[in-house]
Amino acid sequence: MPADLIAGFLSGAVLIVAIGAQNSYVLRQGVRREHILPLVLVCASADALLIVAGVAGLGAAIQAQPAFLDLARYGGAAFLLLYGLASARRALAPEQLILDAGTRLPLGVALATCLGFTFLNPHVYLDTVILLGSLASQRQEGKWIFAAGAAGASFVWFFALGYGARFLAPLFAKPFSWRVLDSLISMTMFGLGGMLILD
């Protein structure tokens, strides 16, 4: 049983610990120290929910309905490209990158954006529901322990990313650093959006 837990944790970590749209967003909000706890809880809980759904058999249902993945693909691409444009605008306007009370995102907007990065990304379904669900199902009796390990990896990662980002705060006291970060985020969003369209 511990072997199933460890295998699940490592499998989940390999898939989750990659700088993508969701991780870039959590990193940015972590540096800004805005709504960290709600955001990391939403990201990790969403992963856990999707992993459980995959183990319960949702992966097979999704594979049988390719139209669902197409909808997520094009909707996700549009969302990423729009956020990429917003990041590019922030990078070109350094006066908007100075942290003060007036620049804080409302919690509802922050959570809605986070949910968009989570559920409009077709790769999240491929990784959590289909791939991790398939890996867990191969373990039969240990599949739920495997799923618990994979979900645990998500919680560890997002809490480390969200709260660890504050150690970068001195670096981001300078508007130039925000310009670099937003430029990198913008390029990441455009790249991921383009890949979704061309995939």
Side-chain angles (χ1 to χ4, degrees):
M1 292 299 181
D4 293 322
L5 188 70
I6 293 169
F9 186 92
L10 294 177
S11 299
V14 165
L15 294 173
I16 294 162
V17 181
I19 297 302
Q22 187 185 49
N23 287 339
S24 296
Y25 181 69
V26 172
L27 175 64
R28 186 175 201 282
Q29 293 302 108
V31 171
R32 293 169 62 90
R33 300 185 187 185
E34 284 185 4
H35 315 302
I36 301 172
L37 182 60
L39 290 175
V40 298
L41 284 175
V42 163
C43 291
S45 298
D47 276 357
L49 177 67
L50 291 170
I51 290 166
V52 167
V55 175
L58 183 61
I62 287 178
Q63 286 177 306
Q65 297 291 332
F68 174 80
L69 285 178
D70 283 341
L71 179 65
R73 172 183 165 193
Y74 291 113
F79 182 80
L80 291 172
L81 293 174
L82 287 172
Y83 194 83
L85 284 173
S87 295
R89 284 184 59 195
R90 284 195 305 266
L92 294 173
E95 68 275 6
Q96 296 179 0
L97 305 179
I98 298 169
L99 298 182
D100 58 35
T103 63
R104 291 180 64 83
L105 277 179
L107 177 60
V109 173
L111 289 176
T113 304
C114 184
L115 289 170
F117 283 129
T118 302
F119 291 109
L120 290 177
N121 178 7
H123 292 292
V124 77
Y125 300 101
L126 295 173
D127 290 346
T128 57
V129 178
I130 295 174
L131 184 54
L132 287 175
S134 298
L135 290 173
S137 297
Q138 294 173 6
R139 297 180 174 266
Q140 298 180 349
E141 292 182 5
K143 67 182 182 181
W144 292 110
I145 295 178
F146 180 95
S154 182
F155 276 90
V156 169
W157 168 247
F158 282 113
F159 271 86
L161 182 63
Y163 285 99
R166 70 179 54 204
F167 295 108
L168 298 174
L171 175 65
F172 287 96
K174 302 174 182 177
F176 176 76
S177 299
W178 284 104
R179 176 173 286 185
V180 171
L181 178 64
D182 279 319
S183 296
L184 291 173
I185 289 175
S186 178
M187 288 187 286
T188 300
M189 301 304 168
F190 284 132
L192 292 172
M195 284 192 296
L196 286 180
I197 293 171
L198 298 173
D199 198 3

